[in-house]
Amino acid sequence: MAYRWKNDLTRADATPYAAYMNRRQLMGGALGLGVVAAAGAARAQQAELVPSAWDDVTQYNNFYEFGTGKAHPSAYADAMTTDPWTVTIDGMVERPGEFDFKDIMAEMTIEERIYRLRCVEAWSMVVPWNGFELADLLAMAGVKPEAKYVRFETLYRPSEMPGQKSAWIDWPYIEGLRVDEAMHPLTIMATGIFGKTIPNQNGAPLRLVVPWKYGFKSIKSIVRITLTDERPIGTWEQLQPQEYGFYSNVNPEVDHPRWSQATERVIGGGLFSKRQDTLMFNGYADEVASLYEGLDLRANF
Ligand SMILES: Nc1nc2c(c(=O)[nH]1)N[C@H]1C(S)=C(S)[C@@H](COP(=O)(O)O)O[C@H]1N2
Ligand SMILES: [Mo]
């Protein structure tokens, strides 16, 4: 709840000020939307970090279940039914089961986390998420000591997800983390953005956010979480293992085979959209570098 991390973003890194003001107003009404205001400490820690514009966060998306264009998710994701919604937690847990999303929300404390999002395609945004630590959800099920990995699965429902009608991806979308990565306090399950319920195109009703990894690790619209001792093979690793590895930690020194990862295009500002240097572990090295001590980050990309 009161997890603190180094915040080095300032207003100079921000996209439009109007969007920021808009967000403060939204946060003012957040209680009415079922979002519990964050603890003061965590909020103050991020006070200087200004998010991207609402329109960019909700209209420039990757969610291949709705098509491969950046505008496809916002155009088609409304068709996805998110209520009722259950999440199965199974595998190496003490209390496996199918949990109703509403029951999960009743147990969890929602807070705001403003994080950088760095896509492997070399663009980035800053997103104000609302959500809870994944560790708290896993504690509900009780992780057994023999579990080494967490495997996540997105909804498979071609009737509501037109992209799932093409078979070039072996649906459902899958992702995975090591248990220690999953338990890290920076790793959250997001249920909102900008103090509002998360829009379908961003992964309603709950999606993973792992801010030090490339965006594709942050799997959307999760229906199943499995604790396992077998390393999961994610959708992108399965498609192109030489391009997308299991770790996919943001690393400006390890290029994608087809492009540099040293810099990123900041979404927003239209013609004036700028490039900036990509940060090691996306700016979260102080918090997470120790997880990878002794690991060759070039071999384990
Ligand atoms: N199920 C699912 N999750 C997904 C994706 C997807 O296509 N399907 N795209 C990923 C990619 S590549 C990125 S960059 C982020 C984008 O999240 P956003 O649209 O909320 O910015 O979602 C990730 N999660
Ligand atoms: Mo991405």
Side-chain angles (χ1 to χ4, degrees):
M1 190 52 197
Y3 182 67
R4 287 160 172 275
W5 69 95
K6 191 183 102 226
N7 170 28
D8 57 0
L9 291 192
T10 69
R11 290 207 181 173
D13 300 302
T15 9
Y17 182 68
Y20 177 71
M21 291 310 289
N22 188 27
R23 172 180 155 261
R24 299 319 302 174
Q25 281 158 20
L26 290 169
M27 285 310 288
L31 278 171
L33 291 152
V35 176
V36 178
R43 179 83 62 80
Q45 188 72 8
Q46 306 178 71
E48 291 306 314
L49 206 164
V50 181
S52 301
W54 167 266
D55 284 356
D56 290 325
V57 177
T58 61
Q59 290 171 36
Y60 187 95
N61 299 100
N62 275 336
F63 199 167
Y64 277 25
E65 285 84 341
F66 297 101
T68 55
K70 297 290 185 259
H72 288 149
S74 54
Y76 301 121
D78 278 355
M80 176 172 63
T81 310
T82 58
D83 182 12
W85 192 275
T86 59
V87 181
T88 299
I89 307 183
D90 60 6
M92 295 170 167
V93 291
E94 308 287 351
R95 296 171 290 281
E98 194 177 339
F99 298 84
D100 195 287
F101 176 66
K102 291 195 183 78
D103 295 337
I104 292 173
M105 287 300 271
E107 291 292 318
M108 299 292 133
T109 307
I110 304 300
E111 61 175 298
E112 182 182 75
R113 294 284 180 96
I114 306 176
Y115 286 160
R116 297 177 190 82
L117 174 74
R118 169 59 158 83
C119 178
V120 73
E121 300 161 335
W123 54 262
S124 72
M125 302 184 188
V126 174
V127 182
W129 305 104
N130 309 94
F132 50 84
E133 290 178 12
L134 174 58
D136 292 341
L137 179 63
L138 295 179
M140 269 176 78
V143 176
K144 289 188 173 173
E146 59 265 35
K148 292 190 172 67
Y149 299 96
V150 189
R151 179 186 182 278
F152 303 86
E153 197 175 305
T154 294
L155 177 71
Y156 177 70
R157 195 182 285 155
S159 61
E160 295 182 359
M161 297 174 132
Q164 288 181 335
K165 286 173 181 146
S166 26
W168 67 282
I169 283 176
D170 185 14
W171 309 104
Y173 194 101
I174 303 293
E175 258 311 331
L177 296 173
R178 286 193 328 214
V179 164
D180 61 339
E181 296 175 322
M183 294 294 200
H184 192 281
L186 282 178
T187 303
I188 60 164
M189 297 294 274
T191 57
I193 57 170
F194 293 89
K196 298 172 58 141
T197 299
I198 194 166
N200 283 4
Q201 60 265 35
N202 295 89
L206 87 167
R207 61 88 62 83
L208 182 69
V209 179
V210 195
W212 70 94
K213 292 180 180 282
Y214 291 119
F216 69 86
K217 298 293 289 185
S218 293
I219 179 174
K220 297 178 171 179
S221 305
I222 294 166
V223 293
R224 184 183 213 112
I225 300 173
T226 307
L227 280 290
T228 169
D229 58 3
E230 244 175 78
R231 186 174 78 71
I233 299 178
T235 292
W236 288 103
E237 187 188 352
Q238 196 185 316
L239 276 169
Q240 301 276 13
Q242 67 287 5
E243 299 191 357
Y244 308 103
F246 172 72
Y247 283 98
S248 288
N249 292 316
V250 175
N251 189 338
E253 286 157 25
V254 177
D255 288 339
H256 185 280
R258 291 182 280 134
W259 58 83
S260 165
Q261 294 292 28
T263 64
E264 62 202 41
R265 184 169 52 94
V266 182
I267 301 302
L271 284 174
F272 306 104
S273 110
K274 58 168 184 172
R275 289 198 84 84
Q276 66 188 19
D277 288 345
T278 289
L279 302 171
M280 188 65 200
F281 292 111
N282 207 23
Y284 304 98
D286 286 355
E287 287 73 28
V288 303
S290 62
L291 294 176
Y292 309 104
E293 245 159 37
L295 196 72
D296 177 349
L297 297 178
R298 199 165 284 277
N300 298 277
F301 59 96

